[in-house]
Amino acid sequence: MSEHMENIYLAIVLSPLIGSIIAGLFGKLIGRSGAHWVTIIGVAVASILSMFVYKHHMFDGAPDYNAAVYTWLSSGGINFEVGFLIDPLSVTMMVVVTFVSWMIHIYTIGYMHDDPGYQRFFSYISLFTFAMLMLVMSNNFMQLFFGWEAVGLVSYLLIGFWYKKDTAIFANLKAFLVNRVGDFGFLLGIAAVLMYFNSLDYFEVFAQAEGLADTTIVIFGDHAWSLMTVICICLFIGAMGKSAQVPLHVWLPDSMEGPTPISALIHAATMVTAGIFMVSRMSPLFELSETALSFILIIGSITALFMGFLGLVQNDIKRVVAYSTLSQLGYMTVALGASAYAAAMFHLVTHAFFKALLFLAAGSVIIIMHHEQDMRKMGGLYKKMPITWITCFVGSIALIGFPGTSGFFSKDAIIEAVHHSQIFGSTFAYYAVLSGVFITALYSFRLFFMTFHGEERMDKETWMHLHEAPAVVTVPLSVLAIPSLILGAFLIGPMLFGDYFGNTIYVAEKHNVLHEIGSHYEGIMLFTLYAFKHPPVYLAFAGIFVAWLCYIKFPDWPGLIVSRIKWIHCILEKKYGFDEFNQKVFAGGTRCLGRMLWKYGDISIIDGIFVNGTARSVGIISSVIRHIQSGYLYHYAFAIILGLLVLIAVFVHGVLN
């Protein structure tokens, strides 16, 4: 049975890769339809098999699987392997990644229908799925790092897919460079693990962690640092890059330059979820450092609140959804800092479905509006696009945590977990995520009302030709709407308060806030009713009401408010100056350093001294030497006598000594 399951695990990983290779290398031979069929079938096989594996482990009670399938290198007692760890954490991610990717593959047929890079795009998104599966199924740090870098590489290719657009090239370069900063920290963390644990295998590292909890290392000067704190913060810096936490968040909004299907795939199921998954997987390490947990908590709360504010001033429909992703990733990170890893994973799962739904709904609007993305040129679309309208509404209410929806259960669980946490910074984090509920509802329904309601703000000819998107677009929307509504109700009990993750996630007793919340859990109905005793529900309703007032009832209000607080609006429009700072300090500083090295290093030293200096030296020496060759016999005789005298002097000096 074990060999049979190993073959299934290999099939899950390899089927998207095979589809990607066929579409990428033989795209011209198989044509456009062949490219989408081979990749969709590959991802469908991975998704169906992932569901089978989920049933096998979660319902049939199969034990966790942890084994190497290929040894790449053995050196100094350390094995560099490709291996799989199949447990509740990984099978949950496998189902989410493959199913969401499957829906996005189908949707892509409609969205990229007229694009000349059709086959290339399908090859890339299938490769993206393979890379993410390698990451979540890994049982060692080497394979984790391979998947980590692979999703970064493919995201670079996809964000800059329309490579003739300068903005797309700038965006993919920005994403690549910012992630290299995070990945440098991540690599340092893995190097520290290898150095002190002498292993890259998860279980071997986790088994030794408790024994090294009090170990300190000296980095700068004579100050001793906790080994666990250093390792965990370095690993989390990698997560800050992948999961776009402040200040390494700047690449994610610009990733909107890629086609909408890849925006959905990056924001919902791959790439940005990698950091959340990694920290959850490494919970046995993070639980040994409260300093690292506090750092995570504060970074997450800043991201959750302040990135939400930026969503209020965006007019590009995709960028509003992008900033909502940043904010929701902040919520997940806050849960990690509060040691509520299960709540972070719960929100990751529910968010994957409703965020994919929102992106694909936005893409549906963009298709019909002839790739117009400015919400100020939309309005009244519910009359023409009823399926897109209702599915976008479902995604919006799930995002804001409307009672009963998937987002409600996962977001409320995070807020309650932070409220019960005793980690340093938890008070600030609680008020940040609480305020974020109102902000989320406000920008979500600002998007919904500006796009689908109010007066039509496009020209009459465009309005007359508007219609619902084709079935390849609306069917994935409808399918994703179902888990966006009901999935949370099915998962909250077992995932948060049951034994869903078993021993996969480790939480120290003093940090176990979910256990405290779970002691009062009496079912989804009472959980929902209990929520009405707390502020989040009313803050969400208030956000919807304010959005209705400002964008339906009194559409002049936003302009009046902006005129009163221009300085705040300016700060938000400039995105707190992060981009300007990075451009002037890091990008500008690098260019300045390059110019200095060119001017003083290349021109002055290399060219001036070594190249031209050598030539000048030869000229000077030769100009002196050529005077010796005068052509007069008595000059040569004098030189011979002088040389003879020097030789006699040297000889006599040697004899006397």
Side-chain angles (χ1 to χ4, degrees), residues 62-115:
D64 296 346
Y65 176 91
N66 180 28
V69 296
Y70 173 71
T71 300
W72 175 54
L73 178 69
S74 293
S75 177
I78 300 170
N79 295 322
F80 298 88
E81 300 171 333
V82 175
F84 296 141
L85 172 56
I86 310 299
D87 59 12
L89 186 61
S90 56
V91 294
T92 301
M93 287 296 295
M94 287 158 60
V95 171
V96 171
V97 169
T98 55
F99 183 77
V100 172
S101 179
W102 186 13
M103 293 299 103
I104 291 172
H105 273 67
I106 296 170
Y107 174 93
T108 301
I109 297 173
Y111 191 89
M112 302 294 287
H113 184 266
D114 299 319
D115 197 283

Side-chain angles (χ1 to χ4, degrees), residues 597-598 600-614:
L597 290 173
W598 165 73
Y600 298 106
D602 198 16
I603 294 178
S604 299
I605 298 175
I606 296 175
D607 288 346
I609 297 176
F610 294 110
V611 179
N612 298 329
T614 303

Side-chain angles (χ1 to χ4, degrees), residues 201-511:
D201 183 85
Y202 290 162
F203 275 45
E204 291 180 15
V205 170
F206 297 160
Q208 299 177 56
E210 193 75 39
L212 293 173
D214 298 324
T215 302
T216 58
I217 56 176
V218 177
I219 301 178
F220 301 112
D222 298 326
H223 183 71
W225 298 73
S226 164
L227 172 65
M228 284 303 162
T229 297
V230 171
I231 289 175
C232 291
I233 289 179
C234 285
L235 292 175
F236 180 67
I237 288 171
M240 287 170 65
K242 280 289 179 290
S243 294
Q245 297 298 291
V246 172
L248 301 182
H249 67 284
V250 292
W251 68 270
L252 193 60
D254 286 6
S255 70
M256 297 301 97
E257 292 295 334
T260 298
I262 190 51
S263 300
L265 197 56
I266 287 176
H267 287 244
T270 62
M271 188 74 169
V272 297
T273 60
I276 308 302
F277 165 80
M278 183 273 294
V279 176
S280 298
R281 173 64 79 196
M282 302 301 155
S283 58
L285 302 181
F286 281 88
E287 283 299 289
L288 298 174
S289 173
E290 285 205 4
T291 303
L293 291 175
S294 293
F295 180 71
I296 294 170
L297 190 69
I298 293 168
I299 291 292
S301 55
I302 291 171
T303 305
L305 179 60
F306 290 97
M307 294 303 106
F309 283 130
L310 297 184
L312 296 172
V313 299
Q314 301 300 314
N315 294 311
D316 184 315
I317 187 171
K318 283 174 64 176
R319 284 185 179 265
V320 176
V321 186
Y323 278 107
S324 82
T325 300
L326 280 172
S327 183
Q328 297 308 304
L329 287 167
Y331 275 85
M332 297 176 211
T333 304
V334 165
L336 296 173
S339 294
Y341 304 98
M345 290 302 302
F346 184 27
H347 197 51
L348 184 154
V349 171
T350 59
H351 176 265
F353 292 101
F354 63 70
K355 186 49 58 70
L357 176 61
L358 284 171
F359 264 113
L360 299 190
S364 176
V365 171
I366 292 168
I367 295 170
I368 302 307
M369 291 290 295
H370 305 292
H371 292 272
E372 176 59 67
Q373 297 182 197
D374 193 333
M375 297 186 298
R376 293 170 297 184
K377 298 178 182 179
M378 299 177 187
L381 292 182
Y382 79 95
K383 301 171 187 175
K384 301 283 188 174
M385 307 178 71
I387 298 175
T388 303
W389 168 71
I390 191 65
T391 52
C392 185
F393 176 74
V394 169
S396 298
I397 61 173
L399 173 60
I400 70 169
F402 191 88
T405 62
S406 292
F408 162 75
F409 294 109
S410 56
K411 185 180 282 189
D412 261 43
I414 290 174
I415 295 170
E416 280 299 299
V418 177
H419 197 199
H420 285 79
S421 175
Q422 300 299 316
I423 297 290
F424 175 79
S426 58
T427 302
F428 168 71
Y430 173 68
Y431 287 107
V433 294
L434 198 59
S435 304
V437 174
F438 173 79
I439 302 301
T440 302
L442 182 53
Y443 67 64
S444 298
F445 274 84
R446 173 179 177 265
L447 179 152
F448 184 72
F449 290 140
M450 287 183 71
T451 304
F452 294 100
H453 292 273
E455 62 179 25
E456 301 86 16
R457 294 181 295 278
M458 68 289 292
D459 59 76
K460 288 186 178 180
E461 186 176 350
T462 302
W463 174 254
M464 292 301 295
H465 290 88
L466 290 176
H467 57 84
E468 184 57 271
V472 288
V473 171
T474 56
V475 169
L477 286 175
S478 303
V479 172
L480 288 168
I482 297 169
S484 297
L485 274 178
I486 66 173
L487 187 63
F490 287 98
L491 290 181
I492 182 172
M495 187 173 277
L496 288 190
F497 311 123
D499 195 34
Y500 183 92
F501 289 110
N503 296 322
T504 303
I505 290 175
Y506 169 74
V507 182
E509 191 61 36
K510 61 180 179 180
H511 297 156

